[in-house]
Amino acid sequence: MSKVNISVKEANNRFQSLIDSSSNELAAASKMGVVTVSKMGVVTFCNSVFLKLTGYSKNEIIGKHISKLPTMQRKNVPKYLKLIASLFKGVNSKEFEVEYITKSKEIRFGKASVCSVKEDGTATEIMLILRDITDRKNAEEGLNKSEES
């Protein structure tokens, strides 16, 4: 069996193509946005679903440090920086609920899963997969309010 070597850039291009094509068919139905973040906390990639969910352009997201993202509430920045640092140290994370801000200043809700992207066994980036749950959460709140009445 021969070993195939590809460059990091080529691997990233393949990854981006896979995520973008998936987002168009599979993820769009479930509103699944994908973002990758470098060890320095800088966004290196986001798919079209993430952009559609938030209303921002790639230029407004990619290349920004997470502490400067317009989608994030400032009060949550320390928590997410700590999470990213722990993932790079090998700590596993469970799915969690997040709030994010759209360009129109609407606060929306999502379920987020994060994992490390490894190269030669070493984490090089963190990938966040965000599934919008705003409609479900609003429906649950409405049901709870009607049951209280």
Side-chain angles (χ1 to χ4, degrees), residues 117-136:
V117 178
K118 296 181 179 178
E119 181 183 322
D120 297 327
T122 303
T124 57
E125 291 183 310
I126 299 300
M127 182 187 321
L128 173 122
I129 300 171
L130 177 69
R131 186 171 34 92
D132 188 89
I133 61 165
T134 303
D135 294 340
R136 187 192 84 207

Side-chain angles (χ1 to χ4, degrees), residues 54-91:
T54 64
Y56 289 97
S57 69
K58 280 188 176 186
N59 291 338
E60 293 171 300
I61 302 295
I62 295 177
K64 302 282 188 276
H65 190 272
I66 65 163
S67 64
K68 305 290 185 203
L69 286 176
T71 59
M72 190 176 307
Q73 294 179 329
R74 297 295 154 234
K75 69 180 183 180
N76 293 327
V77 169
K79 174 174 64 172
Y80 294 133
L81 288 173
K82 187 175 180 179
L83 173 64
I84 288 172
S86 70
L87 287 166
F88 278 115
K89 291 178 184 174
V91 177

Side-chain angles (χ1 to χ4, degrees), residues 6 10 14 35 79 106 120:
I6 60 173
E10 184 179 352
R14 288 180 183 188
V35 176
K79 174 174 64 172
E106 177 186 8
D120 297 327

Side-chain angles (χ1 to χ4, degrees), residues 2-65:
S2 66
K3 186 175 178 180
V4 176
N5 290 317
I6 60 173
S7 71
V8 173
K9 184 175 182 178
E10 184 179 352
N12 283 338
N13 288 341
R14 288 180 183 188
F15 168 75
Q16 184 168 344
S17 296
L18 174 66
I19 295 298
D20 279 341
S21 65
S22 297
S23 66
N24 293 336
E25 289 112 29
L26 304 173
S30 62
K31 297 183 180 180
M32 210 164 58
V34 178
V35 176
T36 58
V37 178
S38 73
K39 281 187 171 185
M40 300 304 293
V42 175
V43 176
T44 56
F45 167 81
C46 64
N47 71 349
S48 59
V49 174
F50 182 82
L51 298 174
K52 186 173 182 178
L53 287 172
T54 64
Y56 289 97
S57 69
K58 280 188 176 186
N59 291 338
E60 293 171 300
I61 302 295
I62 295 177
K64 302 282 188 276
H65 190 272

Side-chain angles (χ1 to χ4, degrees), residues 84-121:
I84 288 172
S86 70
L87 287 166
F88 278 115
K89 291 178 184 174
V91 177
N92 291 329
S93 174
K94 296 180 180 170
E95 185 176 63
F96 55 97
E97 195 169 296
V98 297
E99 292 180 5
Y100 64 96
I101 305 168
T102 66
K103 192 166 187 169
S104 65
K105 305 299 182 212
E106 177 186 8
I107 295 178
R108 298 199 50 95
F109 302 93
K111 281 283 187 176
S113 298
V114 290
C115 63
S116 56
V117 178
K118 296 181 179 178
E119 181 183 322
D120 297 327

